[in-house]
Amino acid sequence: MGRVNLSMLEVTVSLELGIKSGLFFCTAHYRWYTMVHADGSVSQTWDYLNGNGLRGLIEIWPKPTATAWKLIGCYAAFEAALQLLLPGKTVQGPISPKGNRPVYKANGVLAYAVTIATYIGIWWFGIFNPSMVYDHLGEIFSALIFGSFLFCVFLYIKGHVAPSSTDSGSLGNIIIDFYWGMELYPRIGKSFDIKVFTNCRFGMMSWAVLALTYCFKQYELYGKVADSLLVNTILMLVYITKFFWWEAGYWNTMDIAHDRAGFYICWGCLVWVPSIYTSPGMYLVNHPVELGSQLALLILAAGVLCVYVNYDCDRQRQEFRRTNGKCLVWGKPPSKITASYTTTTGETKSSILLTSGWWGLARHFHYVPEILASFFWSLPALFNHFIPYFYVIYLTILLVDRATRDDDRCRSKYGKYWKTYCDKVPYRIIPGIY
């Protein structure tokens, strides 16, 4: 009877993962078509698909082209070369459940600066027209969708035949293994970390590259860049700059330290980030809005403030961990809980949990300014259409789910200490509400 229940669970989870994967595949293209070819109107796209059915979906789905593959290949090779060749400080990640400690080369800021300077430079000197990327965007997304799927197949096979560490293994179901991943820290050779490449150097870097691409395209179309797109681009670049400045801290987060390298995280970073995260700017290319100086500056200031608070939350916790609690938080010695836990190898270790500063407001308060920042860089589109705000809604759902999963993981890891922590910091994300 127990085995039947397990099989039923596996079937249910596999079906759920299949449905999610199908939705991910379709949503990226559906949004691109709506913003580029349907005037940003969800209802217009829906009416077309409703009237034409599967044939309509096939017609609006551009096939990957040689040009798209070349653009992706050149970009991926360039970023991989920067990841391998640029100098950087050696940084250790957190100790894994199996007792391993990954080592990284922190050269993200330099790679980011070189990427942005190179992209602007090849446009300025007439070597490459970035509008070409926008003009082939649908084909690029198609190529990314299928190419990234094959890449995840490679990760699945590698996890079986050549895992990079003992932090790997099968959960006994091919679909679940493919979706969640086989390895925590997959690498090619000793120094090329695959998750750093997919999450940071390809995914997050493509966000910055596409943000600039949309400015170049609007300038080509209208002879200027509207203040709405400028505000959107500046805020996104401020956020991405913050990300690479803090990249070593990101290697301690759930994405890297706990989620395995599978379809969920890698396909999402390779496809979902460039197609969905950049979408407010994609919409504004063909829908320029003149905000006026006062409104533009107000939105910009509010967005920058949110990015700063998000950064300061992460900085505060990172400094607390770096000094083992021997630092000041908002001018005072930090309040903390020392929690012990047992690794999968049976070794007892301890961690300190910060319960003051930003982290005394809620256990995941840093998600609040992150969601608000995404709202402010979407706000320049105003409210003529819903679709520029899809990312805000998606991000909210993603972060609420991540906070729940993180709480569940910490409850399992720390036991009674986590209960004490939750008693002291009772709210999960929004102080006084949730």
Side-chain angles (χ1 to χ4, degrees):
M1 186 67 177
R3 180 57 202 167
V4 172
N5 290 337
L6 179 60
S7 298
M8 289 291 288
L9 176 62
E10 289 176 348
V11 170
T12 301
V13 172
S14 299
L15 181 60
E16 178 187 351
L17 299 185
I19 292 171
K20 285 182 178 179
S21 301
L23 289 173
F24 286 163
F25 269 63
C26 294
T27 301
H29 260 299
Y30 175 84
R31 288 175 49 73
W32 162 78
Y33 176 83
T34 300
M35 287 185 285
V36 175
H37 296 291
D39 198 34
S41 172
V42 174
S43 60
Q44 183 176 325
T45 302
W46 173 254
D47 289 342
Y48 177 81
L49 293 175
N50 192 43
N52 294 275
L54 181 60
R55 181 177 60 84
L57 180 62
I58 294 173
E59 286 179 354
I60 70 172
W61 195 300
K63 295 179 176 63
T65 61
T67 299
W69 287 116
K70 287 177 184 177
L71 289 170
I72 294 169
C74 289
Y75 167 73
F78 183 73
E79 293 303 329
L82 295 183
Q83 181 178 331
L84 282 171
L85 300 177
L86 290 179
K89 180 181 176 181
T90 299
V91 175
Q92 289 186 325
I95 298 174
S96 74
K98 292 294 182 72
N100 300 310
R101 191 156 201 173
V103 177
Y104 303 98
K105 181 165 63 172
N107 58 7
V109 172
L110 186 55
Y112 177 62
V114 170
T115 298
I116 297 302
T118 300
Y119 199 52
I120 294 174
I122 59 178
W123 167 74
W124 181 263
F125 291 106
I127 299 171
F128 176 76
N129 183 3
S131 291
M132 183 180 182
V133 176
Y134 180 87
D135 294 339
H136 292 273
L137 207 53
E139 301 151 32
I140 290 171
F141 289 159
S142 287
L144 284 175
I145 286 170
F146 295 113
S148 299
F149 184 85
L150 294 177
F151 181 74
C152 292
V153 172
F154 160 75
L155 290 178
Y156 173 79
I157 296 171
K158 179 186 178 302
H160 271 291
V161 301
S164 300
S165 74
T166 54
D167 287 292
S168 60
S170 172
L171 295 174
N173 181 293
I174 185 173
I175 296 178
I176 295 176
D177 285 344
F178 177 78
Y179 188 84
W180 288 114
M182 294 288 296
E183 295 186 79
L184 185 59
Y185 296 116
R187 295 193 171 189
I188 297 175
K190 291 185 178 180
S191 56
F192 189 77
D193 190 282
I194 290 176
K195 280 170 74 178
V196 170
F197 176 74
T198 58
N199 297 28
C200 306
R201 306 311 168 79
F202 193 101
M204 290 299 293
M205 203 75 77
S206 70
W207 190 354
V209 169
L210 286 175
L212 291 174
T213 298
Y214 300 147
C215 289
F216 290 133
K217 183 61 181 181
Q218 191 177 80
Y219 182 80
E220 180 184 276
L221 291 173
Y222 300 99
K224 66 174 185 177
V225 179
D227 57 7
S228 54
L229 186 55
L230 280 176
V231 170
N232 163 268
T233 304
I234 291 171
L235 285 179
M236 289 198 294
L237 290 180
V238 168
Y239 179 82
I240 299 164
T241 302
K242 183 272 301 182
F243 173 86
F244 283 108
W245 183 262
W246 171 77
E247 187 183 43
Y250 174 69
W251 296 333
N252 291 277
T253 66
M254 179 177 284
D255 284 358
I256 300 295
H258 303 289
D259 288 340
R260 290 182 171 193
F263 180 89
Y264 171 77
I265 193 76
C266 293
W267 191 91
C269 289
L270 294 171
V271 178
W272 206 247
V273 172
S275 65
I276 302 300
Y277 287 35
T278 69
S279 56
M282 191 193 309
Y283 170 85
L284 285 167
V285 170
N286 292 316
H287 303 84
V289 177
E290 291 299 334
L291 300 172
S293 299
Q294 290 185 337
L295 181 57
L297 290 174
L298 182 63
I299 295 172
L300 183 63
V304 169
L305 177 61
C306 289
V307 174
Y308 171 76
V309 173
N310 176 251
Y311 164 75
D312 197 54
C313 290
D314 292 323
R315 180 207 59 79
Q316 193 175 80
R317 183 170 62 177
Q318 193 171 8
E319 180 68 10
F320 171 76
R321 288 173 173 172
R322 187 186 68 81
T323 62
N324 199 31
K326 296 179 176 64
C327 62
L328 296 179
V329 173
W330 288 355
K332 300 176 182 179
S335 170
K336 62 185 179 181
I337 292 173
T338 301
S340 64
Y341 64 96
T342 304
T343 67
T344 55
T345 59
E347 187 178 358
T348 300
K349 295 183 176 293
S350 64
S351 294
I352 50 175
L353 309 175
L354 178 60
T355 60
S356 59
W358 297 114
W359 301 93
L361 300 178
R363 300 191 295 275
H364 305 277
F365 176 77
H366 59 313
Y367 291 158
V368 174
E370 183 162 358
I371 292 169
L372 287 175
S374 71
F375 171 76
F376 284 118
W377 68 58
S378 302
L379 186 58
L382 300 182
F383 301 102
N384 291 324
H385 291 290
F386 154 79
I387 204 162
Y389 297 91
F390 176 86
Y391 171 66
V392 183
I393 296 169
Y394 159 75
L395 181 66
T396 302
I397 296 171
L398 173 73
L399 295 183
V400 169
D401 173 71
R402 184 176 294 175
T404 303
R405 289 195 297 122
D406 195 36
D407 275 10
D408 290 342
R409 181 187 63 82
C410 289
R411 187 178 300 109
S412 174
K413 178 178 180 180
Y414 296 118
K416 64 180 181 179
Y417 300 104
W418 186 251
K419 185 179 184 304
T420 302
Y421 175 70
C422 291
D423 289 341
K424 194 160 187 178
V425 187
Y427 296 104
R428 181 173 287 168
I429 298 176
I430 305 175
I433 299 176
Y434 173 74

